[in-house]
Amino acid sequence: MSEHRVKLNWRRTSKSFDPKLYNRSHTLTFKNGQAIKASATPAYRGDSDMIDPEEAFVGSMASCHMLTFLFIAARQGLVIDSYEDDPVGYLEKNAEGRLAITRVVMRPRIAFGGDKSPDPDTLRQMHDQAHHDCFIANSAKTEVMVESPQTADA
């Protein structure tokens, strides 16, 4: 259906390639030329000023969920003025005993415009559909939960 390419570039800047010393910083360049500096999480000797893969994963999951939710709302004739979220991904041991982002918890706050907004049950159903239709969620084994979806006015 489609391909999604990213260019990754890493070069050793340290004298040694000792596991405790080599640099983890790298660049991800996307199709529009936008580049993001990335690194390992600081717990794994990365640069805390750069995005790490775990943060990127959580951000990707939340972004996909939001975009899918916006589409569902628009298709239902709802108007959304803003959508905010502070998702949290949990790095834990999975069932196989390996470290993984085992769950992502989203807490979206949505401000509806126009003359109608969904009741709490419909809002939950919309988030459930967004989760099941999200390409990224469908690509991962991670449990994704939307906690207490609410409107921004609540």
Side-chain angles (χ1 to χ4, degrees), residues 112-138:
F112 289 87
D115 56 354
K116 64 180 183 173
S117 61
D119 61 62
D121 269 351
T122 303
L123 186 60
R124 263 189 292 286
Q125 289 170 3
M126 291 170 68
H127 277 291
D128 187 57
Q129 183 180 353
H131 171 63
H132 286 93
D133 291 350
C134 169
F135 307 148
I136 304 301
N138 289 334

PDB file of all heavy atoms in Angstrom, residues 112-138:
ATOM      1  N   PHE A 112     -14.589  20.143  22.334  1.00  0.00           N
ATOM      2  CA  PHE A 112     -15.484  20.074  21.190  1.00  0.00           C
ATOM      3  C   PHE A 112     -16.059  21.456  20.926  1.00  0.00           C
ATOM      4  O   PHE A 112     -16.381  22.194  21.833  1.00  0.00           O
ATOM      5  CB  PHE A 112     -16.622  19.072  21.441  1.00  0.00           C
ATOM      6  CG  PHE A 112     -16.161  17.644  21.425  1.00  0.00           C
ATOM      7  CD1 PHE A 112     -15.674  17.044  22.570  1.00  0.00           C
ATOM      8  CD2 PHE A 112     -16.191  16.917  20.248  1.00  0.00           C
ATOM      9  CE1 PHE A 112     -15.217  15.731  22.556  1.00  0.00           C
ATOM     10  CE2 PHE A 112     -15.744  15.598  20.220  1.00  0.00           C
ATOM     11  CZ  PHE A 112     -15.259  15.012  21.372  1.00  0.00           C
ATOM     12  N   GLY A 113     -16.164  21.803  19.657  1.00  0.00           N
ATOM     13  CA  GLY A 113     -16.798  23.047  19.249  1.00  0.00           C
ATOM     14  C   GLY A 113     -18.142  22.698  18.640  1.00  0.00           C
ATOM     15  O   GLY A 113     -18.609  21.567  18.718  1.00  0.00           O
ATOM     16  N   GLY A 114     -18.760  23.664  18.016  1.00  0.00           N
ATOM     17  CA  GLY A 114     -20.041  23.385  17.385  1.00  0.00           C
ATOM     18  C   GLY A 114     -21.131  23.205  18.419  1.00  0.00           C
ATOM     19  O   GLY A 114     -20.982  23.556  19.584  1.00  0.00           O
ATOM     20  N   ASP A 115     -22.215  22.599  17.984  1.00  0.00           N
ATOM     21  CA  ASP A 115     -23.397  22.512  18.851  1.00  0.00           C
ATOM     22  C   ASP A 115     -23.603  21.135  19.473  1.00  0.00           C
ATOM     23  O   ASP A 115     -24.603  20.912  20.146  1.00  0.00           O
ATOM     24  CB  ASP A 115     -24.642  22.932  18.075  1.00  0.00           C
ATOM     25  CG  ASP A 115     -24.848  22.116  16.801  1.00  0.00           C
ATOM     26  OD1 ASP A 115     -23.965  21.312  16.469  1.00  0.00           O
ATOM     27  OD2 ASP A 115     -25.888  22.299  16.148  1.00  0.00           O
ATOM     28  N   LYS A 116     -22.680  20.198  19.257  1.00  0.00           N
ATOM     29  CA  LYS A 116     -22.868  18.896  19.890  1.00  0.00           C
ATOM     30  C   LYS A 116     -21.532  18.289  20.296  1.00  0.00           C
ATOM     31  O   LYS A 116     -20.497  18.559  19.691  1.00  0.00           O
ATOM     32  CB  LYS A 116     -23.648  17.941  18.988  1.00  0.00           C
ATOM     33  CG  LYS A 116     -22.973  17.569  17.684  1.00  0.00           C
ATOM     34  CD  LYS A 116     -23.852  16.603  16.886  1.00  0.00           C
ATOM     35  CE  LYS A 116     -23.137  16.165  15.615  1.00  0.00           C
ATOM     36  NZ  LYS A 116     -23.847  15.144  14.899  1.00  0.00           N
ATOM     37  N   SER A 117     -21.586  17.506  21.359  1.00  0.00           N
ATOM     38  CA  SER A 117     -20.418  16.743  21.790  1.00  0.00           C
ATOM     39  C   SER A 117     -20.922  15.383  22.256  1.00  0.00           C
ATOM     40  O   SER A 117     -22.078  15.246  22.658  1.00  0.00           O
ATOM     41  CB  SER A 117     -19.654  17.470  22.888  1.00  0.00           C
ATOM     42  OG  SER A 117     -20.452  17.661  24.019  1.00  0.00           O
ATOM     43  N   PRO A 118     -20.064  14.382  22.204  1.00  0.00           N
ATOM     44  CA  PRO A 118     -20.513  13.026  22.532  1.00  0.00           C
ATOM     45  C   PRO A 118     -20.713  12.835  24.039  1.00  0.00           C
ATOM     46  O   PRO A 118     -20.035  13.466  24.853  1.00  0.00           O
ATOM     47  CB  PRO A 118     -19.376  12.151  22.021  1.00  0.00           C
ATOM     48  CG  PRO A 118     -18.172  13.029  22.065  1.00  0.00           C
ATOM     49  CD  PRO A 118     -18.671  14.417  21.782  1.00  0.00           C
ATOM     50  N   ASP A 119     -21.633  11.941  24.375  1.00  0.00           N
ATOM     51  CA  ASP A 119     -21.802  11.569  25.781  1.00  0.00           C
ATOM     52  C   ASP A 119     -20.618  10.665  26.167  1.00  0.00           C
ATOM     53  O   ASP A 119     -19.893  10.190  25.301  1.00  0.00           O
ATOM     54  CB  ASP A 119     -23.148  10.877  26.005  1.00  0.00           C
ATOM     55  CG  ASP A 119     -23.290   9.593  25.202  1.00  0.00           C
ATOM     56  OD1 ASP A 119     -22.496   8.654  25.427  1.00  0.00           O
ATOM     57  OD2 ASP A 119     -24.203   9.528  24.345  1.00  0.00           O
ATOM     58  N   PRO A 120     -20.403  10.415  27.466  1.00  0.00           N
ATOM     59  CA  PRO A 120     -19.246   9.614  27.893  1.00  0.00           C
ATOM     60  C   PRO A 120     -19.147   8.235  27.244  1.00  0.00           C
ATOM     61  O   PRO A 120     -18.039   7.799  26.889  1.00  0.00           O
ATOM     62  CB  PRO A 120     -19.428   9.497  29.410  1.00  0.00           C
ATOM     63  CG  PRO A 120     -20.182  10.741  29.777  1.00  0.00           C
ATOM     64  CD  PRO A 120     -21.120  10.976  28.613  1.00  0.00           C
ATOM     65  N   ASP A 121     -20.265   7.546  27.055  1.00  0.00           N
ATOM     66  CA  ASP A 121     -20.219   6.224  26.409  1.00  0.00           C
ATOM     67  C   ASP A 121     -19.761   6.319  24.957  1.00  0.00           C
ATOM     68  O   ASP A 121     -18.940   5.521  24.503  1.00  0.00           O
ATOM     69  CB  ASP A 121     -21.592   5.539  26.459  1.00  0.00           C
ATOM     70  CG  ASP A 121     -21.772   4.686  27.688  1.00  0.00           C
ATOM     71  OD1 ASP A 121     -20.782   4.483  28.429  1.00  0.00           O
ATOM     72  OD2 ASP A 121     -22.905   4.208  27.903  1.00  0.00           O
ATOM     73  N   THR A 122     -20.297   7.285  24.234  1.00  0.00           N
ATOM     74  CA  THR A 122     -19.911   7.474  22.832  1.00  0.00           C
ATOM     75  C   THR A 122     -18.446   7.868  22.738  1.00  0.00           C
ATOM     76  O   THR A 122     -17.720   7.390  21.862  1.00  0.00           O
ATOM     77  CB  THR A 122     -20.808   8.530  22.163  1.00  0.00           C
ATOM     78  OG1 THR A 122     -22.171   8.114  22.281  1.00  0.00           O
ATOM     79  CG2 THR A 122     -20.460   8.713  20.692  1.00  0.00           C
ATOM     80  N   LEU A 123     -17.987   8.709  23.655  1.00  0.00           N
ATOM     81  CA  LEU A 123     -16.590   9.121  23.676  1.00  0.00           C
ATOM     82  C   LEU A 123     -15.675   7.907  23.877  1.00  0.00           C
ATOM     83  O   LEU A 123     -14.680   7.745  23.171  1.00  0.00           O
ATOM     84  CB  LEU A 123     -16.366  10.159  24.782  1.00  0.00           C
ATOM     85  CG  LEU A 123     -14.991  10.814  24.852  1.00  0.00           C
ATOM     86  CD1 LEU A 123     -14.664  11.564  23.571  1.00  0.00           C
ATOM     87  CD2 LEU A 123     -14.927  11.748  26.058  1.00  0.00           C
ATOM     88  N   ARG A 124     -16.032   7.035  24.798  1.00  0.00           N
ATOM     89  CA  ARG A 124     -15.249   5.806  25.021  1.00  0.00           C
ATOM     90  C   ARG A 124     -15.242   4.933  23.760  1.00  0.00           C
ATOM     91  O   ARG A 124     -14.211   4.381  23.380  1.00  0.00           O
ATOM     92  CB  ARG A 124     -15.819   5.020  26.202  1.00  0.00           C
ATOM     93  CG  ARG A 124     -15.102   5.277  27.513  1.00  0.00           C
ATOM     94  CD  ARG A 124     -15.540   4.329  28.613  1.00  0.00           C
ATOM     95  NE  ARG A 124     -16.917   4.519  29.054  1.00  0.00           N
ATOM     96  CZ  ARG A 124     -17.344   5.535  29.801  1.00  0.00           C
ATOM     97  NH1 ARG A 124     -16.501   6.451  30.198  1.00  0.00           N
ATOM     98  NH2 ARG A 124     -18.604   5.635  30.150  1.00  0.00           N
ATOM     99  N   GLN A 125     -16.406   4.803  23.119  1.00  0.00           N
ATOM    100  CA  GLN A 125     -16.489   3.997  21.894  1.00  0.00           C
ATOM    101  C   GLN A 125     -15.629   4.594  20.780  1.00  0.00           C
ATOM    102  O   GLN A 125     -14.990   3.858  20.019  1.00  0.00           O
ATOM    103  CB  GLN A 125     -17.943   3.892  21.431  1.00  0.00           C
ATOM    104  CG  GLN A 125     -18.798   3.032  22.327  1.00  0.00           C
ATOM    105  CD  GLN A 125     -20.292   3.132  21.982  1.00  0.00           C
ATOM    106  OE1 GLN A 125     -20.690   3.812  21.037  1.00  0.00           O
ATOM    107  NE2 GLN A 125     -21.117   2.465  22.778  1.00  0.00           N
ATOM    108  N   MET A 126     -15.610   5.919  20.686  1.00  0.00           N
ATOM    109  CA  MET A 126     -14.793   6.581  19.661  1.00  0.00           C
ATOM    110  C   MET A 126     -13.308   6.312  19.911  1.00  0.00           C
ATOM    111  O   MET A 126     -12.557   6.031  18.974  1.00  0.00           O
ATOM    112  CB  MET A 126     -15.070   8.089  19.649  1.00  0.00           C
ATOM    113  CG  MET A 126     -16.455   8.456  19.135  1.00  0.00           C
ATOM    114  SD  MET A 126     -16.845  10.198  19.416  1.00  0.00           S
ATOM    115  CE  MET A 126     -15.678  10.993  18.300  1.00  0.00           C
ATOM    116  N   HIS A 127     -12.887   6.376  21.177  1.00  0.00           N
ATOM    117  CA  HIS A 127     -11.486   6.089  21.493  1.00  0.00           C
ATOM    118  C   HIS A 127     -11.156   4.622  21.237  1.00  0.00           C
ATOM    119  O   HIS A 127     -10.066   4.303  20.751  1.00  0.00           O
ATOM    120  CB  HIS A 127     -11.166   6.473  22.944  1.00  0.00           C
ATOM    121  CG  HIS A 127     -10.864   7.923  23.104  1.00  0.00           C
ATOM    122  ND1 HIS A 127      -9.726   8.515  22.613  1.00  0.00           N
ATOM    123  CD2 HIS A 127     -11.574   8.905  23.699  1.00  0.00           C
ATOM    124  CE1 HIS A 127      -9.736   9.795  22.905  1.00  0.00           C
ATOM    125  NE2 HIS A 127     -10.846  10.061  23.566  1.00  0.00           N
ATOM    126  N   ASP A 128     -12.096   3.734  21.543  1.00  0.00           N
ATOM    127  CA  ASP A 128     -11.876   2.316  21.279  1.00  0.00           C
ATOM    128  C   ASP A 128     -11.714   2.079  19.776  1.00  0.00           C
ATOM    129  O   ASP A 128     -10.809   1.364  19.343  1.00  0.00           O
ATOM    130  CB  ASP A 128     -13.046   1.489  21.840  1.00  0.00           C
ATOM    131  CG  ASP A 128     -12.785   0.001  21.740  1.00  0.00           C
ATOM    132  OD1 ASP A 128     -11.758  -0.461  22.278  1.00  0.00           O
ATOM    133  OD2 ASP A 128     -13.605  -0.702  21.111  1.00  0.00           O
ATOM    134  N   GLN A 129     -12.559   2.700  18.983  1.00  0.00           N
ATOM    135  CA  GLN A 129     -12.454   2.561  17.530  1.00  0.00           C
ATOM    136  C   GLN A 129     -11.140   3.165  17.032  1.00  0.00           C
ATOM    137  O   GLN A 129     -10.465   2.578  16.174  1.00  0.00           O
ATOM    138  CB  GLN A 129     -13.635   3.223  16.819  1.00  0.00           C
ATOM    139  CG  GLN A 129     -13.575   3.029  15.313  1.00  0.00           C
ATOM    140  CD  GLN A 129     -14.745   3.682  14.580  1.00  0.00           C
ATOM    141  OE1 GLN A 129     -15.690   4.180  15.188  1.00  0.00           O
ATOM    142  NE2 GLN A 129     -14.656   3.687  13.266  1.00  0.00           N
ATOM    143  N   ALA A 130     -10.759   4.321  17.579  1.00  0.00           N
ATOM    144  CA  ALA A 130      -9.492   4.947  17.176  1.00  0.00           C
ATOM    145  C   ALA A 130      -8.325   4.012  17.474  1.00  0.00           C
ATOM    146  O   ALA A 130      -7.418   3.859  16.655  1.00  0.00           O
ATOM    147  CB  ALA A 130      -9.305   6.285  17.890  1.00  0.00           C
ATOM    148  N   HIS A 131      -8.358   3.368  18.632  1.00  0.00           N
ATOM    149  CA  HIS A 131      -7.286   2.441  18.979  1.00  0.00           C
ATOM    150  C   HIS A 131      -7.244   1.263  17.994  1.00  0.00           C
ATOM    151  O   HIS A 131      -6.183   0.891  17.501  1.00  0.00           O
ATOM    152  CB  HIS A 131      -7.442   1.918  20.409  1.00  0.00           C
ATOM    153  CG  HIS A 131      -6.506   0.811  20.720  1.00  0.00           C
ATOM    154  ND1 HIS A 131      -5.134   0.970  20.716  1.00  0.00           N
ATOM    155  CD2 HIS A 131      -6.719  -0.494  20.996  1.00  0.00           C
ATOM    156  CE1 HIS A 131      -4.567  -0.182  20.997  1.00  0.00           C
ATOM    157  NE2 HIS A 131      -5.495  -1.089  21.169  1.00  0.00           N
ATOM    158  N   HIS A 132      -8.401   0.704  17.688  1.00  0.00           N
ATOM    159  CA  HIS A 132      -8.441  -0.458  16.796  1.00  0.00           C
ATOM    160  C   HIS A 132      -8.140  -0.111  15.339  1.00  0.00           C
ATOM    161  O   HIS A 132      -7.734  -0.979  14.577  1.00  0.00           O
ATOM    162  CB  HIS A 132      -9.784  -1.182  16.925  1.00  0.00           C
ATOM    163  CG  HIS A 132      -9.870  -1.946  18.206  1.00  0.00           C
ATOM    164  ND1 HIS A 132     -10.413  -1.422  19.357  1.00  0.00           N
ATOM    165  CD2 HIS A 132      -9.436  -3.177  18.534  1.00  0.00           C
ATOM    166  CE1 HIS A 132     -10.321  -2.302  20.328  1.00  0.00           C
ATOM    167  NE2 HIS A 132      -9.726  -3.378  19.860  1.00  0.00           N
ATOM    168  N   ASP A 133      -8.321   1.150  14.957  1.00  0.00           N
ATOM    169  CA  ASP A 133      -8.040   1.566  13.583  1.00  0.00           C
ATOM    170  C   ASP A 133      -6.665   2.203  13.420  1.00  0.00           C
ATOM    171  O   ASP A 133      -6.246   2.479  12.298  1.00  0.00           O
ATOM    172  CB  ASP A 133      -9.106   2.559  13.102  1.00  0.00           C
ATOM    173  CG  ASP A 133     -10.470   1.906  12.912  1.00  0.00           C
ATOM    174  OD1 ASP A 133     -10.569   0.665  12.971  1.00  0.00           O
ATOM    175  OD2 ASP A 133     -11.457   2.650  12.724  1.00  0.00           O
ATOM    176  N   CYS A 134      -5.956   2.458  14.506  1.00  0.00           N
ATOM    177  CA  CYS A 134      -4.647   3.121  14.461  1.00  0.00           C
ATOM    178  C   CYS A 134      -3.601   2.158  13.892  1.00  0.00           C
ATOM    179  O   CYS A 134      -3.407   1.064  14.405  1.00  0.00           O
ATOM    180  CB  CYS A 134      -4.256   3.574  15.870  1.00  0.00           C
ATOM    181  SG  CYS A 134      -2.556   4.133  16.020  1.00  0.00           S
ATOM    182  N   PHE A 135      -2.915   2.574  12.838  1.00  0.00           N
ATOM    183  CA  PHE A 135      -1.920   1.728  12.180  1.00  0.00           C
ATOM    184  C   PHE A 135      -0.780   1.361  13.129  1.00  0.00           C
ATOM    185  O   PHE A 135      -0.277   0.241  13.093  1.00  0.00           O
ATOM    186  CB  PHE A 135      -1.301   2.426  10.966  1.00  0.00           C
ATOM    187  CG  PHE A 135      -2.293   2.961   9.964  1.00  0.00           C
ATOM    188  CD1 PHE A 135      -1.997   4.102   9.249  1.00  0.00           C
ATOM    189  CD2 PHE A 135      -3.507   2.331   9.740  1.00  0.00           C
ATOM    190  CE1 PHE A 135      -2.888   4.603   8.321  1.00  0.00           C
ATOM    191  CE2 PHE A 135      -4.407   2.822   8.816  1.00  0.00           C
ATOM    192  CZ  PHE A 135      -4.090   3.965   8.106  1.00  0.00           C
ATOM    193  N   ILE A 136      -0.360   2.316  13.944  1.00  0.00           N
ATOM    194  CA  ILE A 136       0.766   2.064  14.844  1.00  0.00           C
ATOM    195  C   ILE A 136       0.360   1.078  15.933  1.00  0.00           C
ATOM    196  O   ILE A 136       1.090   0.131  16.220  1.00  0.00           O
ATOM    197  CB  ILE A 136       1.293   3.379  15.457  1.00  0.00           C
ATOM    198  CG1 ILE A 136       1.692   4.381  14.375  1.00  0.00           C
ATOM    199  CG2 ILE A 136       2.467   3.109  16.408  1.00  0.00           C
ATOM    200  CD1 ILE A 136       2.760   3.915  13.404  1.00  0.00           C
ATOM    201  N   ALA A 137      -0.810   1.271  16.523  1.00  0.00           N
ATOM    202  CA  ALA A 137      -1.283   0.334  17.549  1.00  0.00           C
ATOM    203  C   ALA A 137      -1.438  -1.064  16.960  1.00  0.00           C
ATOM    204  O   ALA A 137      -1.127  -2.057  17.621  1.00  0.00           O
ATOM    205  CB  ALA A 137      -2.607   0.804  18.143  1.00  0.00           C
ATOM    206  N   ASN A 138      -1.878  -1.140  15.722  1.00  0.00           N
ATOM    207  CA  ASN A 138      -2.028  -2.445  15.072  1.00  0.00           C
ATOM    208  C   ASN A 138      -0.685  -3.098  14.758  1.00  0.00           C
ATOM    209  O   ASN A 138      -0.626  -4.280  14.460  1.00  0.00           O
ATOM    210  CB  ASN A 138      -2.845  -2.311  13.784  1.00  0.00           C
ATOM    211  CG  ASN A 138      -4.298  -2.035  14.063  1.00  0.00           C
ATOM    212  OD1 ASN A 138      -4.825  -2.382  15.120  1.00  0.00           O
ATOM    213  ND2 ASN A 138      -4.964  -1.386  13.132  1.00  0.00           N
TER     214      ASN A 138
END
